[in-house]
Amino acid sequence: MAQGRSGTIRLESVFSVEFLHVIREFEYGKVVERLSPGIRILEIGGGTGYQAKRLKEDGYVVDSIDMPDSNYVGQLEFPVQPYDGRNIPFPDDSFDVVFSSNVLEHVLDLPYLQAEIKRVLKPGGYCVHLMPSGAWRFWTNMAHYTELVQRLLGLAPRLLPKGFSKSARSDAMSVLRLMVSTAKHYAIVPRHGETGNALTEIKTFSSRHWREHFTNQLFTVDEATAVGLFYTGHMVLGPRLSLKSRQKASKWLGSACVIYVVRPA
């Protein structure tokens, strides 16, 4: 954001919770295909509670937990219970299924959480985890700089001063400073998870990596299936690219998400 005499110039966010819900609804359909009717489910990292709400609407018994400083605290659609990010606040053998969507990569002490997941699963219980793929990480890296170009092109016409007054020149300089600060902000692609960087995550988000992780934590991997939808961490095009087009694109560019079904070995 930069301040000129004629007012404030804002760098608007392109993030849209509404569009995110369109994506999550598609993925939700893939999740429920792997659930039996009426079971009790624990959702870890509930966010807005959107998917927990959908599960409840479809007849499942649902508890949802997330960190108290979640980005979605003010946008809750379901009573998401806060927890400390480590100790799941439920007794042993409480749930038939533990479900998460784009969460495990954000957990720093993942082995500890995996042990907690085993603790709260009933005998015969299993997990359904949606995880970002290596393809998602690669194309998100590319989209990072695409979004930078979009922002700079959007600001460029405002570089020309509207007249020769001191105020007009000051406004143009404010835009120039905003463009420079924007370029600096986008200089390095941030990592998405808790370890490595935006390049190493291409490998650590791969199905091979997650299969090895689950195996090392004594889970049996029953399934690792591409969801079949292309999108990136930046909402380039957003809803202007239909779900049907995104499904087609995933065949060439890779699925943004992989669904893992795992159970204690």
Side-chain angles (χ1 to χ4, degrees):
M1 182 174 69
Q3 178 71 45
R5 290 196 177 202
S6 61
T8 300
I9 301 168
R10 294 184 180 275
L11 187 63
E12 299 293 350
S13 171
V14 296
F15 179 77
S16 166
V17 171
E18 291 75 19
F19 178 62
L20 178 64
H21 283 174
V22 172
I23 297 295
R24 294 293 179 255
E25 184 66 24
F26 180 91
E27 294 172 343
Y28 173 81
K30 302 296 183 180
V31 170
V32 294
E33 291 175 1
R34 292 156 173 87
L35 303 176
S36 301
I39 59 174
R40 187 180 182 191
I41 300 171
L42 171 67
E43 180 188 31
I44 297 176
T48 64
Y50 175 81
Q51 292 180 111
K53 180 187 73 171
R54 292 288 288 109
L55 287 166
K56 184 177 180 181
E57 290 171 349
D58 284 342
Y60 298 99
V61 180
V62 186
D63 290 281
S64 183
I65 58 176
D66 205 341
M67 300 284 285
D69 57 351
S70 164
N71 293 332
Y72 306 103
V73 169
Q75 306 170 53
L76 294 183
E77 301 184 33
F78 183 88
V80 178
Q81 180 177 336
Y83 85 119
D84 63 8
R86 287 177 56 82
N87 302 292
I88 296 176
F90 292 97
D92 297 359
D93 305 332
S94 293
F95 299 96
D96 300 290
V97 169
V98 171
F99 163 62
S100 75
S101 175
N102 298 271
V103 169
L104 297 189
E105 73 274 18
H106 295 294
V107 179
L108 189 58
D109 191 353
L110 193 49
Y112 186 92
L113 182 63
Q114 297 287 29
E116 278 288 278
I117 288 173
K118 290 177 187 177
R119 180 182 65 78
V120 299
L121 276 174
K122 295 178 181 178
Y126 61 96
C127 306
V128 179
H129 297 299
L130 280 166
M131 305 288 292
S133 67
W136 175 89
R137 179 67 271 184
F138 174 81
W139 290 113
T140 295
N141 291 352
M142 299 298 102
H144 178 86
Y145 292 111
T146 301
E147 186 174 289
L148 168 61
V149 172
Q150 286 181 321
R151 291 189 183 280
L152 294 181
L153 289 177
L155 291 169
R158 297 155 71 179
L159 272 176
L160 297 176
K162 298 178 180 179
F164 299 97
S165 67
K166 184 177 179 181
S167 175
R169 293 195 302 272
S170 176
D171 287 345
M173 287 302 298
S174 294
V175 174
L176 180 59
R177 286 193 293 270
L178 178 57
M179 292 179 74
V180 171
S181 66
T182 300
K184 289 181 179 179
H185 176 75
Y186 278 83
I188 298 176
V189 183
R191 71 185 184 191
H192 177 71
E194 293 298 318
T195 60
N197 56 54
L199 289 178
T200 61
E201 284 181 340
I202 296 174
K203 178 181 179 180
T204 57
F205 285 7
S206 68
S207 291
R208 179 178 179 179
H209 171 85
W210 282 110
R211 281 178 176 274
E212 290 178 353
H213 164 78
F214 289 124
T215 300
N216 290 338
Q217 297 304 313
L218 302 181
F219 284 90
T220 298
V221 180
D222 291 343
E223 182 183 353
T225 304
V227 171
L229 198 66
F230 172 79
Y231 58 89
T232 72
H234 296 272
M235 294 189 175
V236 179
L237 296 179
R240 288 178 289 174
L241 189 62
S242 68
L243 286 181
K244 187 175 182 179
S245 297
R246 292 181 182 277
Q247 287 177 269
K248 291 180 179 179
S250 73
K251 296 177 181 178
W252 298 95
L253 304 177
S255 174
C257 229
V258 176
I259 190 166
Y260 298 89
V261 179
V262 302
R263 65 184 70 246

